[in-house]
Amino acid sequence: MPIFAGMIFNFIRDYLKHRLTSKTRHGTHSPFVYQLTDEVIYDFQSTNDYKIIEEQRKKLFNDHSVITVTDLGAGSHLNKNKTKRISQIAKNALKSPRLAQLIYRLAKNNQPADIIELGTCLGITTAYLSKASPEADIITIEGCPETAKKAYQNFRELELDNVELRVGNFDTLLPAVIDETEKLDFVYIDGNHRKDATLNYFNWCLPKVHEGSLLIFDDIYWSKGMKEAWQEVKQHPQVTVTIDLFWIGLVYFRKGQVKEHFKIKF
């Protein structure tokens, strides 16, 4: 319990520090980041896609069926039990509507031909990616077979026809997916929140990134290791622009742009 309390204290401290040091669009001097913040990050208008997916989320909140969770990553701060209710997973593990809808807008703005998601969970964020980019080929990877079954059911109910779900160890599946992909347009990394694993995912992606690529790292303040991983990602010579939104970090590879790092309030 003292360890958990310490983690919560550090997280709150990091959050408050981020709020004090981050800026809005008016504090950025980069035209690219200003436009992205103004037109994408701060676009809070509702859409019909949001309403459809949030109705599916409500169903999950009311689903009290029990599954056995296989956790191949760093696990959950909230619950270490292997047997969990779907409603419990939906409450504790799914991205909030506000954050999932931001990822939707980022995908819509990026207009990717291919999307890779690492960490499907119950598939709500995957659904947002699918609705944002109906022409894109999406591969989402989940480590837990029973969680994946529920995600697949959600995809069918939402009639998502551009999503391929693969189940297994990220360390095996992600390199294979990258190998068969010509270039990486949009990669959302929300799996195995350990420093070494996160840096491995980043380094595996590097040979296939291009000027229009966007890599999104989830939970960059989740732990000391994740904070260290985020700092290493920022300093990599191929990275030119990063945007720290506290909950997620955006990584761009825009050639000819001065290397800059931004903290934006969200």
Side-chain angles (χ1 to χ4, degrees), residues 14 112 130 136 158 207 221:
D14 288 336
S130 176
L158 290 168
Y221 287 89

Side-chain angles (χ1 to χ4, degrees), residues 48-173:
N48 191 53
D49 287 340
Y50 294 179
K51 294 173 184 176
I52 291 169
I53 297 171
E54 288 310 310
E55 284 299 318
Q56 195 69 19
R57 187 195 297 265
K58 289 178 184 176
K59 292 181 184 179
L60 295 172
F61 283 158
N62 293 314
D63 185 344
H64 301 298
S65 59
V66 175
I67 65 170
T68 300
V69 175
T70 304
D71 190 350
L72 302 177
S76 169
H77 288 335
L78 296 173
N79 194 317
K80 295 291 186 180
N81 296 334
K82 291 184 178 179
T83 301
K84 297 182 182 179
R85 295 184 185 275
I86 293 296
S87 57
Q88 181 184 18
I89 298 171
K91 178 182 177 182
N92 293 336
L94 291 180
K95 291 292 161 280
S96 67
R98 192 166 184 263
L99 190 55
Q101 288 159 14
L102 170 60
I103 292 168
Y104 168 100
R105 296 192 298 273
L106 289 166
K108 200 173 188 68
N109 180 69
N110 188 262
Q111 296 185 327
D114 298 280
I115 295 174
I116 297 173
E117 179 189 35
L118 194 63
T120 314
C121 194
L122 298 174
I124 291 298
T125 304
T126 321
Y128 272 108
L129 289 169
S130 176
K131 294 292 186 181
S133 307
E135 302 302 318
D137 294 321
I138 301 174
I139 296 177
T140 183
I141 304 172
E142 173 56 42
C144 172
E146 292 197 30
T147 306
K149 286 180 183 178
K150 193 64 185 180
Y152 182 71
Q153 180 184 331
N154 288 327
F155 298 160
R156 292 186 64 180
E157 292 180 10
L158 290 168
E159 299 181 340
L160 309 181
D161 58 8
N162 63 333
V163 177
E164 178 186 348
L165 174 58
R166 300 190 187 182
V167 183
N169 192 301
F170 296 163
D171 291 349
T172 303
L173 293 182

Side-chain angles (χ1 to χ4, degrees), residues 174-190:
L174 182 59
V177 171
I178 292 172
D179 283 346
E180 66 192 52
T181 305
E182 182 180 350
K183 58 186 178 65
L184 299 180
D185 295 332
F186 190 103
V187 182
Y188 175 45
I189 297 173
D190 181 19

